[in-house]
Amino acid sequence: MVKVRVKYFLWLAEKAGCSLEEVSLSNSSLLSLLEHIKASRPRLSRIIESIIQSRSEVIVLVNNVSPKTLTVELKEGDEVVFMPPVSGG
């Protein structure tokens, strides 16, 4: 099992019902984490599905780096961040 920290920012935290959580995974890929969140956080399911299908503007970072693929392996203590797109004026 691998335990990772997950952070949700702005309106994603509201939909998730929290801004921070720790998730334990038996399969440690980013895709496995996304599937876990999709199943455990129903209000995020459509957003997570759009991330899986590469149709989302939500920014996903693993240890402050944008992963090139969803098959990236997560390690104990990694931090995964979900941020909505930011626009300014």
Side-chain angles (χ1 to χ4, degrees):
M1 291 289 261
V2 172
K3 189 181 289 187
V4 296
R5 290 173 47 128
V6 180
K7 288 185 177 181
Y8 305 98
F9 285 93
L10 302 171
W11 56 266
L12 290 170
E14 183 179 318
K15 284 196 174 286
C18 64
S19 59
L20 174 66
E21 67 177 324
E22 286 194 352
V23 176
S24 294
L25 302 167
S26 55
N27 182 340
S28 61
S29 71
L30 177 57
L31 180 57
S32 293
L33 174 64
L34 293 172
E35 292 290 355
H36 171 84
I37 294 169
K38 183 177 161 184
S40 64
R41 304 271 178 206
R43 293 183 65 204
L44 287 176
S45 63
R46 287 197 311 217
I47 295 163
I48 297 299
E49 184 60 33
S50 68
I51 293 170
I52 292 170
Q53 295 179 5
S54 300
R55 293 185 292 117
S56 177
E57 293 183 9
V58 170
I59 298 163
V60 179
L61 301 174
V62 177
N63 298 324
N64 296 318
V65 177
S66 180
K68 301 214 184 302
T69 176
L70 296 181
T71 59
V72 65
E73 290 297 313
L74 301 174
K75 296 177 216 58
E76 183 75 24
D78 279 355
E79 183 175 84
V80 180
V81 173
F82 293 90
M83 288 189 304
V86 180
S87 61

